[in-house]
């Protein structure tokens, strides 16, 4: 006889709790493992002595694939090996290191990743949008997704990827970084290699 009133008293609390949970934003199912996700780019410096290749890295890639499949990936100077080569920047440039040089966005249905069996791989051609200095550039990028275990998928390039060297030099921010590294002129192609891990959290 004493339990019925107690049960009735908890129903409003339970209803309010469920309502609060439904109002929370959906959690991303997949996210990049920063410690194991990087991009390598080979810049061909054009010098009086001839072409000279140099490899640079963008490390510690971070980004979540949300419930709608959107991935947003800001790229900052602090993630590159530029500071390793140049040393500490002057104080008036210190805030520049955490400012995004460019932001990549793309769309991939999380269900496509969830359905990948352990040991299997799949190639998906994603439309990558790069935003830098108010400009947007779209390009299709074939990527290979390989399921390593129940919670980990490796992402690599399915085909040779290159960036347009002249477009990079035409971007004021990226040109400034290249000039800091001593590149007054670079080759038309900048080969890029991607090696990243997606983890299901």
């Amino acid at each position: 006889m004493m339990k019925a009133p107690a049960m009735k008293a908890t129903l409003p609390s339970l209803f309010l709790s469920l309502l609060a949970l439904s109002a929370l934003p959906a959690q991303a199912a997949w996210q990049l493992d920063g410690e194991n996700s990087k991009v390598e780019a080979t810049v061909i410096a054009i010098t009086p002595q001839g072409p000279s290749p140099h490899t640079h890295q963008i490390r510690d890639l971070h980004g979540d694939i949300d419930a709608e499949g959107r991935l947003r990936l800001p790229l900052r100077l602090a993630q590159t090996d530029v500071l390793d080569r140049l040393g500490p920047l002057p104080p008036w440039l210190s805030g520049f290191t955490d400012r995004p040089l460019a932001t990549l966005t793309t769309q991939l249905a999380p269900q496509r990743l969830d359905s990948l069996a352990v040991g299997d791989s799949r190639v998906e051609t994603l439309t990558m949008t790069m935003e830098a200095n108010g400009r947007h550039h779209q390009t299709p990028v074939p990527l290979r997704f390989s399921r390593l275990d129940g919670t980990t998928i490796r992402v690599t390039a399915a085909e040779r990827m290159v960036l347009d060297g002249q477009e990079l030099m035409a971007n004021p921010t990226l040109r400034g970084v290249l000039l800091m590294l001593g590149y007054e002129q670079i080759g038309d192609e900048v080969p890029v290699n991607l090696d990243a891990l997606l983890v299901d959290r």
Side-chain angles (χ1 to χ4, degrees), residues 52-127:
S52 177
H54 302 270
T55 300
H56 297 276
Q57 289 186 354
I58 301 177
R59 306 168 295 225
D60 199 26
L61 300 179
H62 285 283
D64 294 336
I65 299 177
D66 65 19
E68 285 73 41
R70 292 184 297 260
L71 172 64
R72 186 174 182 273
L73 187 61
L75 303 177
R76 297 175 171 84
L77 185 63
Q79 293 172 262
T80 71
D81 58 0
V82 171
L83 300 183
D84 298 341
R85 297 167 185 258
L86 296 180
L89 295 178
W92 60 276
L93 275 178
S94 58
F96 181 66
T97 60
D98 289 320
R99 186 187 311 164
L101 299 174
T103 300
L104 292 177
T105 56
T106 192
Q107 190 88 16
L108 174 65
Q111 295 82 0
R112 300 284 289 171
L113 299 177
D114 296 337
S115 64
L116 194 61
V118 175
D120 287 350
S121 65
R122 173 187 296 144
V123 174
E124 301 273 355
T125 299
L126 306 184
T127 299

Side-chain angles (χ1 to χ4, degrees), residues 169-180:
M169 291 299 281
N171 181 294
T173 303
L174 298 178
R175 178 180 175 83
V177 173
L178 291 169
L179 288 175
M180 280 196 298

